[in-house]
Amino acid sequence: MEILVCVKQVPDTAEVKIDPEKHTVIRAGVPNIFNPFDQNALEAALQLKDSQEGVRVTLLSMGPNQAEEVLREGLAMGADDAYLLTDRKLGGSDTLATGYALAQAVKKVAELQGVEQFDIILCGKQAIDGDTAQVGPQIATALGIPQITYAAEITVNGSAVRVKQQNEEGYIVTEADFPVLITAVKELNEPRFPTIRGTMKAKRREIPHLSAEDIKVDETKIGLKGSPTVVRKIFTPPQRTQGLIIKEEDPSAAVAALMENLTAQKII
């Protein structure tokens, strides 16, 4: 079974700040991390590899050269191969352009791996820097294969997959034959840590780079030219004011203070 996992290097959103004048994200000095949901997707692939014979896990990322860091981390966790799609022509791509470029890259990687197509493509449900949850489904659409999103449980039986999908009201169960694209939620699993031996081996691995020319893209569909999304403004939401905190140690006094405050505000 051939599995491809799409992974992304993202800025640590806990450290991101907004320029108050330019209304843009300040990336300087912000640490980059492995997108958490993509780690869940990779762990799902590795668990299938652990439980079945003949499973190969390949990683694919799109980004600048520094994105090799997450690919090496994925190799250290147990993935077999990794490829980086990197080209200045891809700069400024929105989710539509990114989905198209990655779909083209998936086909190229399959060719390089000597397979007709990947049986399963796994993605995180979304990247924490954009939170759109669009790229995975767009890859599936561009490839013309089924997609099952928000996977909280994955079971493979032969050439078919059964997925417990998370939604706002609970879960639904969906089945599909290979090839299929699946997006993972946090509840799917607990990602493993890279091993020391795996980390040392990953540091020595050469990560093949793919360019826009390599994957034979239509250049009108990538970068700013291929991105219909226009960001008008980025801003930090106003902070919520802190509610009333009653510090009375005596419970009766605390209740009395609360009642007094609620009465003064005519809430009761």
Side-chain angles (χ1 to χ4, degrees):
M1 182 166 54
E2 297 287 340
I3 303 176
L4 180 96
V5 185
C6 293
V7 300
K8 185 179 182 182
Q9 186 182 59
V10 295
D12 188 346
T13 53
E15 302 291 334
V16 168
K17 297 180 181 179
I18 305 297
D19 187 313
E21 295 182 0
K22 298 180 180 178
H23 302 293
T24 56
V25 176
I26 300 174
R27 294 184 180 270
V30 177
N32 292 304
I33 61 174
F34 199 130
N35 183 52
F37 295 109
D38 295 346
Q39 288 184 313
N40 295 116
L42 174 54
E43 176 61 27
L46 295 176
Q47 288 182 8
L48 289 171
K49 179 182 175 181
D50 292 341
S51 63
Q52 299 190 30
E53 295 284 340
V55 176
R56 183 167 60 170
V57 177
T58 303
L59 304 176
L60 172 64
S61 186
M62 172 175 155
N65 290 339
Q66 68 185 38
E68 280 192 6
E69 295 171 7
V70 296
L71 292 173
R72 294 190 190 281
E73 184 176 343
L75 289 169
M77 290 170 68
D80 299 293
D81 296 291
Y83 294 83
L84 177 63
L85 174 60
T86 182
D87 196 312
R88 288 187 177 274
K89 294 177 182 178
L90 297 165
S93 294
D94 67 359
T95 59
L96 183 66
T98 298
Y100 165 71
L102 284 172
Q104 292 296 106
V106 168
K107 290 186 282 189
K108 180 62 179 180
V109 171
E111 177 187 326
L112 292 172
Q113 294 288 78
V115 297
E116 182 178 349
Q117 61 187 357
F118 288 97
D119 299 303
I120 299 176
I121 300 173
L122 280 159
C123 306
K125 72 163 185 173
Q126 62 197 57
I128 62 171
D129 58 346
D131 287 334
T132 63
Q134 295 173 349
V135 172
Q138 285 169 343
I139 294 172
T141 300
L143 292 173
I145 63 175
Q147 58 179 286
I148 306 177
T149 55
Y150 297 87
E153 185 179 300
I154 299 173
T155 305
V156 173
N157 184 14
S159 61
V161 63
R162 181 184 178 93
V163 176
K164 182 179 178 182
Q165 288 182 273
Q166 185 183 76
N167 62 34
E168 294 179 354
E169 298 179 353
Y171 298 94
I172 59 175
V173 176
T174 305
E175 296 182 354
D177 293 327
F178 296 163
V180 61
L181 183 143
I182 302 170
T183 68
V185 298
K186 182 179 179 181
E187 291 75 10
L188 177 59
N189 52 46
E190 185 67 34
R192 67 192 67 186
F193 291 103
T195 64
I196 295 176
R197 183 179 180 184
T199 299
M200 297 302 294
K201 289 178 62 178
K203 284 184 177 180
R204 297 191 295 268
R205 288 285 296 272
E206 181 178 348
I207 307 292
H209 287 198
L210 301 174
S211 67
E213 183 178 356
D214 291 331
I215 62 173
K216 299 178 182 178
V217 294
D218 178 346
E219 293 190 10
T220 65
K221 295 183 179 180
I222 61 172
L224 292 174
K225 289 182 180 179
S227 302
T229 305
V230 177
V231 179
R232 298 294 183 188
K233 183 178 180 182
I234 298 177
F235 62 94
T236 302
Q239 288 188 334
R240 295 181 179 180
T241 57
Q242 189 177 47
L244 174 67
I245 298 178
I246 298 174
K247 298 183 178 180
E248 297 284 352
E249 293 185 5
D250 179 54
S252 298
V255 171
L258 176 61
M259 295 299 291
E260 183 180 349
N261 183 271
L262 294 175
T263 302
Q265 296 186 53
K266 298 183 178 180
I267 297 175
I268 59 174

